[in-house]
Amino acid sequence: MTGIRLHAPAPGWSIDADVVVVGSGVAGLTAALRCTAEGLRTVVVTKALLDAGSTRWAQGGIAAALGEGDTPEQHLDDTLVAGAGLCDERAVHALVTEGPDAVRRLIETGASFDLTDEGAIALTREGGHHRRRIAHAGGDATGAEISRALVEAIRERGVRTIEHALVLDLLKDAEGRTAGVTLHVMGEGQHDGVGAVHAPAVVLATGGMGQVFSATTNPAVSTGDGVALALRAGAEVSDLEFVQFHPTVLFLGADSEGQQPLVSEAVRGEGAHLVDADGVRFMLGQHELAELAPRDIVAKAITRRMLEHGAEHMYLDARHFGAEMWEQRFPTILAACRAHGIDPVTEPIPVAPAAHYASGGVRTDLHGRTTVPGLYACGEVACTGVHGANRLASNSLLEGLVFAERIVADIAAHGPHREGLPDVPAGPRELSLLVPEVRREIQRIMTQGAGVLRSAESLAGAAEALERLRLDAEEDRKAAEPGVEAWETANLLCVARVLVAAARAREETRGCHWREDRPDRDDGTWRRHLVVRLSSDRRLVVRRTTGADFPPVTPDAPLEPLS
C-alpha cells in the first residue's frame, strides 16, 4: 500500500454500491450486465459518454473458433505464436475455450454480426491467424455495433451510470481491502465535482494508454488512468514495455498528433498488399504469411523499409477490391480515407505504424483479481497473460468478454466483502500535479525514445527526461491546480515512467518490443515477465517472474529482483 494519491479536493458526495465498474467498453459493460444479473448493486463510471471508449473504434472484429473445421486448439496455437513465448498458456486456454460461447451470449444480448448468404456468421482473416475466425459487423464497424448493443442493454436494465467522470484513486478499508473509488464528475448533473462511490469490489476496465505517444489509434480518453490508479493503490503492473504499434494507420503527415484513423488489418485479410513508393510488395519473403504476419513483424518491416528509403510512410494497395467491395465491406475506412483526400478505390493508401494497444497492464490472475484484495481488472487495462509479448489480432474484444464474465463469477461466488469504512488519507503522500502543457512534452519524449525503434541510449534519454518532469513538479507544488487535464497528465507521466523502466530492463527484442541494440530474442534470460510496482517513496521497483506463466497474485509470489 503506497498511500500515494492524486492531489485533489476531498469528496463532497458519496453513493453506495456492491460493485463499481470503471469504464464502458466491452469489458466494463459486460461486467456490469453480468453483475446486475447476479443481483449486485452496480454502478458504471465512465470518463465520457458510455460509448466513447476504445471498443467503438474496433474495426476488424472479434476472434473465436466459430467456423467449420476451426477449433480452440488452433486458436490457442496462433495466439501462442503471436505472443512470442510469453503468453500464460492457462489464460489463453481459458480465452479460446470459453470464447465461442461468450460471443454467442453477446449475440443474445443484442449484437448483430454480418452473416453469409446461408445465415452463418461471416468470418474473415487477420494477421497471425491461419484460419478465418474473425466475426465482424457492419463490414468494418464491429466495435460500434458491440458498443451499441451493450449500451442499449445497460439502459434497458436500468444499470446506474455516471458519465463524464474521471476516476481518481482507490479507496481502502483499514485492512487494506478495496472500499470504492474517488472520482471527479465534469459538468452539471446529479453529481458534480469530486465524490466517492463506496463499494467492496472495483472492476477496472478503463482501456489503454495510447495517448502517451504523439500519434495513436486510441481515443482522447485513453490516458492510462486505470494503470496509474492501480499503481498508486499498491497493485502490480506487468508487460507494459509491449506496446503494439498498428502497422497500417492512415498517414496524415509527420506532425500529426492525437488519434489517427486506423486502416483495419482485415483489409489485408481480404487481400490488400503493402507496397513501397515503387509498388514493390516488400512483405513477400519476410514471413510465410506475408502481409498477414503478426503485427510486430509487419510494423518492423514497414519501419525498416521507411528507413531504407528515407520515406515517412509506405502504402496499402487495395485498388483491386473495386468500388463495390470497398463500399460494402469497408465503408467506415473508405469514408475516413476520402475525408482526408484519399480514394482507396483509385489510389494506394499512405500508412505508417502508430501506437495502438497495450499488451501489458495491471497484473491479474485467471479470475481478474489483482494483487489488491477486491480490485479486479479486465480488458486493455489488464495483463491477464493472454497476449504475451504481442497481441494476436482481434483477441482483445474476446479477452474483454471472457475475463469480465470470469470476474463476475468470482465476485458472485464470494459475495460483497465489507469490513469497514473507507479510509481517505491526505497530506504528504499526495502526488504533485503537472501543468497540462507537459502532456505534449511527455508524448514527444515517448515517441522519440520509446516508440517502434528503441535502444539503451534512446530509453536512457527518455527516462532522464521523464524524471526531470517529475522532479520539476515535486519541487513546485503550485505547478498545477487540481483538474481533469492536470490529473490526466499525472497519469500519463506515471505510465510513461513504468513503460520506459520495463523497456530498459528487457535487454532483448521480443514481440512488439524492438531493441535496435539488442536485436535477438533471448529465451534463456528473458522468457519471463517484468513486474513493476510503485513504492511509497515514488520509486519504481522492477522484478521478474521465474517463467512465462504468472505466479499467484499474493504477497509471497515468487518474483526475482533484477540484478
Side-chain angles (χ1 to χ4, degrees):
M1 185 171 180
T2 68
I4 301 171
R5 295 179 182 275
L6 290 172
H7 178 42
W13 54 269
S14 67
I15 59 176
D16 291 325
D18 295 321
V19 183
V20 56
V21 176
V22 187
S24 59
V26 63
L29 295 187
T30 298
L33 287 170
R34 300 292 181 265
C35 282
T36 301
E38 292 288 341
L40 298 167
R41 292 179 303 156
T42 305
V43 174
V44 175
V45 175
T46 191
K47 194 170 174 181
L49 296 172
L50 280 179
D51 65 351
S54 293
T55 291
R56 64 174 288 201
W57 298 100
Q59 295 174 342
I62 184 167
L66 296 165
E68 184 177 351
D70 197 5
T71 64
E73 289 72 27
Q74 293 176 68
H75 190 183
L76 183 143
D77 288 344
D78 284 346
T79 301
L80 295 181
V81 170
L86 274 190
C87 296
D88 185 323
E89 191 163 342
R90 299 165 303 177
V92 180
H93 184 267
L95 178 84
V96 299
T97 56
E98 298 173 22
D101 283 343
V103 173
R104 295 182 185 103
R105 284 189 288 273
L106 179 62
I107 294 171
E108 291 170 3
T109 302
S112 297
F113 290 94
D114 296 338
L115 304 176
T116 66
D117 292 340
E118 293 74 33
I121 295 176
L123 301 173
T124 189
R125 275 183 71 193
E126 292 187 358
H129 293 272
H130 283 80
R131 281 189 173 272
R132 285 182 169 263
R133 66 167 65 97
I134 315 300
H136 48 83
D140 58 357
T142 310
E145 169 58 17
I146 290 173
S147 181
R148 179 207 62 77
L150 291 175
V151 168
E152 190 172 295
I154 285 284
R155 288 175 174 154
E156 285 178 352
R157 289 159 178 75
V159 180
R160 187 169 188 174
T161 61
I162 304 176
E163 296 181 309
H164 301 293
L166 172 63
V167 168
L168 303 176
D169 281 299
L170 192 73
L171 295 172
K172 294 183 179 181
D173 62 24
E175 302 299 319
R177 289 189 55 88
T178 294
V181 293
T182 56
L183 66 161
H184 175 80
V185 181
M186 300 165 263
E188 298 178 0
Q190 184 178 359
H191 303 291
D192 196 10
V194 175
V197 180
H198 297 153
V202 171
V203 180
L204 290 180
T206 53
M209 42 179 270
Q211 291 292 329
V212 79
F213 294 96
S214 297
T216 177
T217 63
N218 290 191
V221 294
S222 299
T223 52
D225 307 319
V227 170
L229 176 150
L231 282 164
R232 290 192 297 271
E236 293 175 348
V237 168
S238 187
D239 294 0
L240 222 60
E241 69 270 34
F242 296 116
V243 177
Q244 188 177 83
F245 289 80
H246 198 288
T248 53
V249 176
L250 184 62
F251 181 77
L252 300 180
D255 298 326
S256 295
E257 297 179 341
Q259 187 177 12
Q260 312 288 299
L262 176 67
V263 182
S264 170
E265 195 149 15
V267 178
R268 280 174 281 139
E270 295 292 351
H273 304 143
L274 280 166
V275 298
D276 59 24
D278 298 320
V280 176
R281 283 185 66 187
F282 55 88
M283 284 305 300
L284 294 176
Q286 296 270 350
H287 189 275
E288 62 166 332
L289 295 176
E291 280 90 357
L292 286 179
R295 288 179 177 176
D296 62 305
I297 293 172
V298 180
K300 290 170 187 176
I302 291 174
T303 303
R304 284 195 193 102
R305 198 72 166 191
M306 286 162 55
L307 290 172
E308 290 169 1
H309 286 229
E312 293 179 326
H313 60 82
M314 289 288 111
Y315 293 93
L316 188 65
D317 191 352
R319 289 174 290 180
H320 54 286
F321 285 5
E324 184 178 354
M325 180 173 175
W326 268 110
E327 290 165 0
Q328 293 183 2
R329 180 68 178 84
F330 300 111
T332 306
I333 299 170
L334 178 64
C337 288
R338 286 177 170 169
H340 291 283
I342 299 152
D343 188 351
V345 176
T346 60
E347 60 186 317
I349 305 167
V351 293
H356 181 58
Y357 191 89
S359 293
V362 184
R363 185 168 84 85
T364 73
D365 65 8
L366 297 182
H367 304 283
R369 295 178 293 217
T370 74
T371 49
V372 174
L375 178 65
Y376 297 81
C378 59
E380 191 174 356
V381 71
C383 184
T384 62
V386 159
H387 304 308
N390 187 37
R391 175 179 66 98
L392 181 65
S394 290
N395 268 357
S396 51
L397 293 174
L398 190 70
E399 183 194 32
L401 279 179
V402 169
F403 283 86
E405 292 185 345
R406 284 182 152 251
I407 285 171
V408 176
D410 190 75
I411 293 173
H414 296 96
H417 183 99
R418 295 181 185 273
E419 287 294 339
L421 296 174
D423 180 31
V424 190
R429 295 287 178 85
E430 286 191 335
L431 192 68
S432 300
L433 302 179
L434 299 90
V435 291
E437 292 74 24
V438 172
R439 177 171 178 158
R440 284 195 173 184
E441 179 67 7
I442 294 170
Q443 293 169 332
R444 183 192 63 80
I445 291 167
M446 294 299 291
T447 299
Q448 292 181 357
V452 178
L453 300 176
R454 303 169 181 176
S455 67
E457 182 179 1
S458 75
L459 291 166
E464 181 181 352
L466 294 172
E467 182 65 8
R468 188 163 56 248
L469 292 178
R470 186 182 75 84
L471 292 175
D472 286 347
E474 292 287 337
E475 293 169 3
D476 184 5
R477 287 296 303 275
K478 296 181 181 179
E481 292 298 317
V484 172
E485 291 185 341
W487 289 321
E488 284 185 335
T489 304
N491 289 337
L492 283 171
L493 179 60
C494 177
V495 296
R497 290 179 62 216
V498 176
L499 193 162
V500 170
R504 292 183 76 186
R506 183 171 290 281
E507 296 180 335
E508 64 160 356
T509 288
R510 181 185 297 271
C512 51
H513 174 65
W514 187 9
R515 284 279 296 261
E516 293 179 281
D517 54 334
R518 302 278 184 169
D520 299 321
R521 173 170 153 176
D522 179 3
D523 278 354
T525 306
W526 288 110
R527 192 164 180 255
R528 54 186 72 189
H529 302 270
L530 291 172
V531 176
V532 183
R533 64 176 177 83
L534 185 66
S535 69
S536 58
D537 60 359
R538 297 174 175 79
R539 289 184 305 107
L540 297 177
V541 179
V542 185
R543 296 176 295 167
R544 60 184 177 183
T545 62
T546 57
D549 287 347
F550 275 133
V553 286
T554 55
D556 57 349
L559 295 169
E560 300 176 348
L562 288 178
S563 57

